[in-house]
């Protein structure tokens, strides 16, 4: 296992970096953010796309347990809480202009509610990941998507051997 612990400013360039792992300051804010799930296991990473209209993964999938309470990653105002196509979604606008999105989450908050870091915003639902349960966690400002892991003070990276 390889573990790296440092600040986002040391490990992430969200403006230009592929998957966020380069060295430059993260320009996305100063709010106090934390993991929205009890697990810190990333099942699928962020895809940096050249153009927003390209297909790709605009967030990270975090391992979760069925029925787990999902928490606000940072303080802010709930700007969406409801169904999008077949998934329940909660979106929070933070003071930095970043909007974080959580799905599939059965919401326990409503539009206009103020939440603090760690407040329960809903319960994970089945349906996003093919194997097991996971939370899709996204971050964007304006029309630009960011790796939500760059919001965190410390990131643990684990490398596992490739099985044949």
């Amino acid at each position: 296992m390889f573990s790296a612990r440092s600040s986002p400013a040391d490990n992430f360039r969200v403006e230009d970096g592929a998957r966020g792992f380069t060295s430059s300051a993260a320009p996305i804010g100063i709010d106090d953010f934390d993991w929205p799930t009890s697990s810190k296991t990333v099942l699928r990473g962020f895809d940096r796309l050249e153009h927003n209209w390209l297909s790709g993964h605009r967030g990270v999938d975090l391992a979760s347990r069925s029925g787990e309470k999902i928490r606000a990653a940072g303080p802010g105002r709930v700007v969406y809480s409801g169904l999008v196509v077949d998934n329940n979604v909660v979106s929070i606008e933070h003071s930095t202009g970043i909007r974080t999105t959580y799905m599939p989450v059965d919401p326990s908050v409503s539009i206009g509610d103020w939440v603090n870091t760690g407040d329960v915003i809903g319960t994970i639902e089945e349906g996003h990941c093919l194997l097991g349960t996971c939370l899709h966690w996204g971050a964007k400002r304006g029309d630009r998507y960011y790796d939500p892991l760059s919001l965190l003070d410390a990131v643990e990276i684990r490398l596992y051997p490739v099985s044949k």
Side-chain angles (χ1 to χ4, degrees):
M1 176 178 87
F2 173 80
S3 179
R5 299 197 57 83
S6 57
S7 76
D10 295 333
N11 286 327
F12 296 99
R13 170 182 277 175
V14 292
E15 292 286 336
D16 304 318
R19 295 190 178 272
F21 294 97
T22 61
S23 59
S24 188
I28 58 177
I30 56 172
D31 281 338
D32 180 28
F33 286 88
D34 200 359
W35 294 85
T37 56
S38 59
S39 168
K40 294 180 173 81
T41 301
V42 178
L43 299 176
R44 184 174 176 196
F46 176 79
D47 289 334
R48 166 68 50 210
L49 304 173
E50 186 176 349
H51 303 288
N52 280 346
W53 48 265
L54 293 172
S55 64
H57 198 242
R58 292 172 174 84
V60 295
D61 290 344
L62 303 177
S64 186
R65 297 178 325 276
S66 184
E68 179 180 355
K69 303 276 186 224
I70 301 302
R71 301 181 180 280
R77 180 126 359 249
V78 176
V79 293
Y80 189 82
S81 176
L83 200 61
V84 175
V85 187
D86 292 333
N87 290 298
N88 275 313
V89 175
V90 174
S91 289
I92 300 170
E93 183 88 21
H94 306 279
S95 65
T96 57
I98 291 290
R99 180 175 292 193
T100 54
T101 303
Y102 312 78
M103 67 175 262
V105 174
D106 181 22
S108 61
V109 292
S110 300
I111 294 173
D113 288 351
W114 175 264
V115 293
N116 288 306
T117 304
D119 286 352
V120 173
I121 59 172
T123 306
I124 192 74
E125 296 178 318
E126 299 286 331
H128 181 69
C129 287
L130 295 176
L131 300 172
T133 304
C134 73
L135 172 73
H136 179 82
W137 180 34
K140 74 182 282 194
R141 180 192 286 156
D143 65 352
R144 180 167 286 221
Y145 292 89
Y146 295 93
D147 183 345
L149 297 178
S150 67
L151 299 169
L152 303 172
D153 285 334
V155 175
E156 184 172 316
I157 302 168
R158 295 182 181 166
L159 302 176
Y160 295 98
V162 176
S163 58
K164 295 181 179 181

